[in-house]
Amino acid sequence: MEKINFNSNWKYCLKGTENWINVNLPHDAMIHRERIKKLKNGSYTGFYPSGDYTYIREIYGDAAYGGKTLILEFEGVYMDSTVYLNNEKVGGHVYGYSNFYVDLTDRLMIGKENELRVEVHCSQVPNARWYPGNGIYRPVNLY
């Protein structure tokens, strides 16, 4: 089984905006927010507000992928994530501190660009007892 690093060439934005920013993973979206002095639960989060984020990345359906099992591993997404491939829900994970897998087998369009989108819902406060970060904060691998 081949393990492919899948951490480069991502874009993300705070949900409700169209301000797409290029990033490589792992990435903490929360630390880029402006601190708020009177933030509820602020002492636990460094006074950074949580938020909902969207991450996108293109994946080309290389002919070598045809007929093979394709598994995407997210080592950590904080938190409550949903993963889409070409606007079809293919997985996700509620808990933010453990890895999870998404099966892309027979869903990746061979010979074409495919859009991978990860929706991250972190806006409920409080959602942690310490600074959790937000977003895809650990590596992603394609097997």
Side-chain angles (χ1 to χ4, degrees), residues 28-32 44-48 97 128-134:
D28 177 6
M30 188 176 182
I31 197 109
H32 300 287
Y44 298 122
T45 65
F47 297 92
Y48 289 105
Y97 296 112
R129 293 173 290 181
W130 55 83
Y131 180 87
N134 289 163

Side-chain angles (χ1 to χ4, degrees), residues 56-122:
I56 58 171
R57 185 192 192 279
E58 297 293 319
I59 175 173
Y60 183 73
D62 193 291
Y65 295 154
K68 293 187 178 177
T69 300
L70 297 172
I71 304 293
L72 199 58
E73 176 190 25
F74 290 86
E75 292 187 22
V77 179
Y78 197 83
M79 62 182 273
D80 195 6
S81 63
T82 307
V83 181
Y84 300 87
L85 180 67
N86 301 320
N87 292 317
E88 176 190 351
K89 182 179 175 182
V90 292
H93 197 58
V94 175
Y95 190 62
Y97 296 112
S98 61
N99 68 330
F100 65 97
Y101 299 90
V102 175
D103 189 349
L104 302 181
T105 307
D106 298 326
R107 292 180 165 154
L108 194 69
M109 296 185 299
I110 302 301
K112 297 181 180 182
E113 286 291 343
N114 295 261
E115 183 186 76
L116 185 66
R117 185 175 85 243
V118 181
E119 300 287 341
V120 184
H121 178 65
C122 309

